[in-house]
Short mmCIF file of all heavy atoms in Angstrom, two decimals:
data_model
loop_
_atom_site.label_atom_id
_atom_site.label_comp_id
_atom_site.label_asym_id
_atom_site.label_seq_id
_atom_site.Cartn_x
_atom_site.Cartn_y
_atom_site.Cartn_z
N ASP Y 1 108.28 70.00 139.84
CA ASP Y 1 109.36 70.79 139.41
C ASP Y 1 110.55 69.90 138.59
O ASP Y 1 111.06 70.41 137.57
CB ASP Y 1 110.15 71.45 140.58
CG ASP Y 1 109.38 72.74 141.03
OD1 ASP Y 1 108.45 73.08 140.33
OD2 ASP Y 1 109.76 73.25 141.98
N GLY Y 2 110.71 68.72 138.89
CA GLY Y 2 111.58 67.91 138.20
C GLY Y 2 111.23 67.63 136.79
O GLY Y 2 112.00 67.40 135.91
N SER Y 3 109.88 67.55 136.52
CA SER Y 3 109.28 67.20 135.17
C SER Y 3 109.29 68.44 134.30
O SER Y 3 109.10 68.13 132.97
CB SER Y 3 107.93 66.46 135.42
OG SER Y 3 107.03 67.58 135.89
N GLY Y 4 109.39 69.52 134.78
CA GLY Y 4 109.25 70.72 133.95
C GLY Y 4 107.78 71.11 133.58
O GLY Y 4 107.52 71.96 132.89
N ALA Y 5 106.81 70.40 134.25
CA ALA Y 5 105.38 70.70 134.02
C ALA Y 5 105.04 72.00 134.70
O ALA Y 5 105.50 72.35 135.79
CB ALA Y 5 104.48 69.53 134.64
N PRO Y 6 104.37 72.83 133.97
CA PRO Y 6 103.91 74.21 134.57
C PRO Y 6 102.97 73.99 135.61
O PRO Y 6 102.08 73.19 135.65
CB PRO Y 6 103.38 74.89 133.36
CG PRO Y 6 102.74 73.81 132.53
CD PRO Y 6 103.63 72.57 132.64
N TRP Y 7 103.01 75.00 136.62
CA TRP Y 7 101.91 75.18 137.68
C TRP Y 7 102.16 76.52 138.25
O TRP Y 7 103.07 77.28 138.09
CB TRP Y 7 102.19 74.05 138.73
CG TRP Y 7 103.46 74.22 139.50
CD1 TRP Y 7 104.65 73.56 139.12
CD2 TRP Y 7 103.80 74.80 140.67
NE1 TRP Y 7 105.70 73.83 139.95
CE2 TRP Y 7 105.12 74.59 141.01
CE3 TRP Y 7 103.00 75.43 141.60
CZ2 TRP Y 7 105.85 75.04 142.15
CZ3 TRP Y 7 103.66 76.01 142.82
CH2 TRP Y 7 104.96 75.78 142.99
N GLY Y 8 101.08 76.91 138.87
CA GLY Y 8 101.02 78.19 139.58
C GLY Y 8 100.11 78.32 140.83
O GLY Y 8 99.54 77.21 141.19
N CYS Y 9 99.96 79.32 141.44
CA CYS Y 9 99.11 79.52 142.61
C CYS Y 9 98.37 80.78 142.44
O CYS Y 9 98.56 81.73 141.74
CB CYS Y 9 99.97 79.64 143.88
SG CYS Y 9 100.83 78.17 144.36
N ASN Y 10 97.16 80.84 143.12
CA ASN Y 10 96.40 82.02 143.25
C ASN Y 10 96.77 83.04 144.27
O ASN Y 10 97.28 82.77 145.26
CB ASN Y 10 94.88 81.59 143.49
CG ASN Y 10 94.00 82.76 143.68
OD1 ASN Y 10 93.72 83.16 144.86
ND2 ASN Y 10 93.55 83.33 142.67
N LEU Y 11 96.64 84.28 143.87
CA LEU Y 11 96.80 85.42 144.85
C LEU Y 11 95.62 86.20 144.77
O LEU Y 11 95.40 86.92 143.78
CB LEU Y 11 98.03 86.24 144.51
CG LEU Y 11 98.33 87.43 145.43
CD1 LEU Y 11 98.62 87.02 146.83
CD2 LEU Y 11 99.60 88.23 145.01
N ILE Y 12 94.78 86.10 145.86
CA ILE Y 12 93.59 86.94 145.82
C ILE Y 12 93.67 88.20 146.59
O ILE Y 12 94.37 88.22 147.62
CB ILE Y 12 92.46 85.98 146.49
CG1 ILE Y 12 91.03 86.66 146.07
CG2 ILE Y 12 92.70 85.86 147.94
CD1 ILE Y 12 89.84 85.77 146.35
N HIS Y 13 93.04 89.28 146.07
CA HIS Y 13 93.02 90.54 146.81
C HIS Y 13 92.29 90.34 148.10
O HIS Y 13 91.12 89.86 148.11
CB HIS Y 13 92.40 91.56 145.85
CG HIS Y 13 92.28 92.93 146.48
ND1 HIS Y 13 93.29 93.51 147.14
CD2 HIS Y 13 91.25 93.79 146.47
CE1 HIS Y 13 92.90 94.72 147.65
NE2 HIS Y 13 91.64 94.92 147.26
N SER Y 14 92.73 90.78 149.12
CA SER Y 14 92.29 90.56 150.44
C SER Y 14 92.17 91.99 151.14
O SER Y 14 93.00 92.28 152.00
CB SER Y 14 93.04 89.71 151.33
OG SER Y 14 93.23 88.49 150.70
N PRO Y 15 91.15 92.91 150.77
CA PRO Y 15 91.04 94.21 151.37
C PRO Y 15 90.92 94.16 152.87
O PRO Y 15 91.25 95.18 153.57
CB PRO Y 15 89.86 94.80 150.71
CG PRO Y 15 89.10 93.68 150.22
CD PRO Y 15 90.01 92.61 149.91
N GLN Y 16 90.31 93.15 153.47
CA GLN Y 16 90.20 93.01 154.98
C GLN Y 16 91.39 92.48 155.65
O GLN Y 16 91.47 92.52 156.88
CB GLN Y 16 88.94 92.14 155.27
CG GLN Y 16 87.63 92.57 154.55
CD GLN Y 16 87.25 94.03 154.79
OE1 GLN Y 16 87.54 94.45 155.93
NE2 GLN Y 16 86.62 94.66 153.99
N GLU Y 17 92.33 91.82 154.85
CA GLU Y 17 93.44 91.30 155.39
C GLU Y 17 94.72 91.55 154.51
O GLU Y 17 95.37 90.70 153.90
CB GLU Y 17 93.36 89.71 155.55
CG GLU Y 17 92.40 89.26 156.44
CD GLU Y 17 92.25 87.82 156.55
OE1 GLU Y 17 93.05 87.16 157.28
OE2 GLU Y 17 91.46 87.17 155.86
N PRO Y 18 95.11 92.80 154.26
CA PRO Y 18 96.21 93.24 153.51
C PRO Y 18 97.61 92.70 153.96
O PRO Y 18 98.39 92.31 152.99
CB PRO Y 18 96.24 94.69 153.61
CG PRO Y 18 95.57 95.08 154.85
CD PRO Y 18 94.46 94.08 155.02
N ALA Y 19 97.70 92.39 155.28
CA ALA Y 19 98.92 91.78 155.74
C ALA Y 19 99.07 90.32 155.22
O ALA Y 19 100.19 89.94 154.80
CB ALA Y 19 99.02 91.78 157.21
N LEU Y 20 98.02 89.66 155.19
CA LEU Y 20 98.00 88.24 154.62
C LEU Y 20 98.21 88.26 153.17
O LEU Y 20 99.11 87.43 152.66
CB LEU Y 20 96.68 87.60 154.90
CG LEU Y 20 96.53 86.18 154.41
CD1 LEU Y 20 97.56 85.28 155.04
CD2 LEU Y 20 95.14 85.61 154.55
N GLU Y 21 97.68 89.13 152.42
CA GLU Y 21 97.91 89.31 150.95
C GLU Y 21 99.47 89.47 150.70
O GLU Y 21 99.99 88.84 149.81
CB GLU Y 21 97.14 90.48 150.36
CG GLU Y 21 97.34 90.58 148.82
CD GLU Y 21 96.57 91.78 148.31
OE1 GLU Y 21 95.41 92.03 148.77
OE2 GLU Y 21 97.07 92.50 147.53
N GLN Y 22 99.97 90.43 151.53
CA GLN Y 22 101.44 90.68 151.30
C GLN Y 22 102.19 89.48 151.75
O GLN Y 22 103.25 89.18 151.02
CB GLN Y 22 101.71 91.82 152.16
CG GLN Y 22 103.19 92.35 152.06
CD GLN Y 22 103.49 92.80 150.64
OE1 GLN Y 22 103.02 93.85 150.26
NE2 GLN Y 22 104.45 92.11 149.84
N ALA Y 23 101.84 88.82 152.72
CA ALA Y 23 102.57 87.60 153.21
C ALA Y 23 102.60 86.48 152.21
O ALA Y 23 103.70 85.86 151.91
CB ALA Y 23 102.10 87.13 154.60
N VAL Y 24 101.38 86.40 151.59
CA VAL Y 24 101.35 85.16 150.53
C VAL Y 24 102.27 85.68 149.44
O VAL Y 24 103.02 84.79 148.76
CB VAL Y 24 99.94 85.05 150.05
CG1 VAL Y 24 99.83 84.10 148.90
CG2 VAL Y 24 99.16 84.49 151.30
N ALA Y 25 102.15 86.84 148.91
CA ALA Y 25 103.11 87.27 147.84
C ALA Y 25 104.46 87.14 148.13
O ALA Y 25 105.30 86.66 147.35
CB ALA Y 25 102.73 88.83 147.44
N ASP Y 26 104.95 87.49 149.33
CA ASP Y 26 106.34 87.35 149.83
C ASP Y 26 106.69 85.86 149.77
O ASP Y 26 107.89 85.49 149.39
CB ASP Y 26 106.52 87.97 151.21
CG ASP Y 26 106.38 89.38 151.26
OD1 ASP Y 26 106.44 90.00 150.18
OD2 ASP Y 26 106.20 89.92 152.47
N LEU Y 27 105.70 85.03 150.21
CA LEU Y 27 105.99 83.58 150.24
C LEU Y 27 106.22 83.07 148.85
O LEU Y 27 107.12 82.27 148.62
CB LEU Y 27 104.86 82.74 150.81
CG LEU Y 27 104.95 81.31 150.80
CD1 LEU Y 27 106.10 80.81 151.75
CD2 LEU Y 27 103.48 80.64 151.34
N TYR Y 28 105.50 83.48 147.83
CA TYR Y 28 105.67 83.12 146.45
C TYR Y 28 106.99 83.43 145.91
O TYR Y 28 107.53 82.71 145.19
CB TYR Y 28 104.51 83.61 145.63
CG TYR Y 28 103.14 83.08 145.79
CD1 TYR Y 28 102.02 83.80 145.44
CD2 TYR Y 28 102.99 81.86 146.54
CE1 TYR Y 28 100.71 83.26 145.58
CE2 TYR Y 28 101.77 81.35 146.73
CZ TYR Y 28 100.59 82.07 146.31
OH TYR Y 28 99.29 81.57 146.49
N ILE Y 29 107.38 84.63 146.30
CA ILE Y 29 108.64 85.16 145.79
C ILE Y 29 109.82 84.39 146.44
O ILE Y 29 110.73 83.97 145.72
CB ILE Y 29 108.92 86.62 146.17
CG1 ILE Y 29 107.81 87.49 145.37
CG2 ILE Y 29 110.30 87.16 145.89
CD1 ILE Y 29 107.80 88.98 145.81
N ALA Y 30 109.80 84.14 147.74
CA ALA Y 30 110.78 83.36 148.42
C ALA Y 30 110.83 81.87 147.96
O ALA Y 30 112.01 81.35 147.82
CB ALA Y 30 110.52 83.43 149.97
N ARG Y 31 109.72 81.38 147.70
CA ARG Y 31 109.69 79.90 147.25
C ARG Y 31 109.78 79.77 145.79
O ARG Y 31 109.76 78.53 145.23
CB ARG Y 31 108.41 79.28 147.77
CG ARG Y 31 108.19 79.34 149.32
CD ARG Y 31 109.30 78.37 150.02
NE ARG Y 31 109.29 77.11 149.55
CZ ARG Y 31 108.43 76.20 149.99
NH1 ARG Y 31 107.61 76.60 150.99
NH2 ARG Y 31 108.39 74.92 149.58
N GLY Y 32 109.87 80.73 145.00
CA GLY Y 32 110.10 80.57 143.56
C GLY Y 32 108.84 80.11 142.83
O GLY Y 32 109.02 79.51 141.71
N VAL Y 33 107.67 80.60 143.22
CA VAL Y 33 106.43 80.32 142.51
C VAL Y 33 106.40 81.26 141.35
O VAL Y 33 106.24 82.48 141.51
CB VAL Y 33 105.25 80.49 143.39
CG1 VAL Y 33 103.92 80.25 142.56
CG2 VAL Y 33 105.29 79.41 144.58
#
C-alpha cells in the first residue's frame, strides 16, 4: 500500500457456502480491497 503498487484478491462464487461468499465480500469492503 505504501508503494502504490496494485494488488487484488479473488472472490469465488460459493453456491454451497453463500454465507462465506458474503463474509469475504464484506471483509474486502471493510478492509479497502
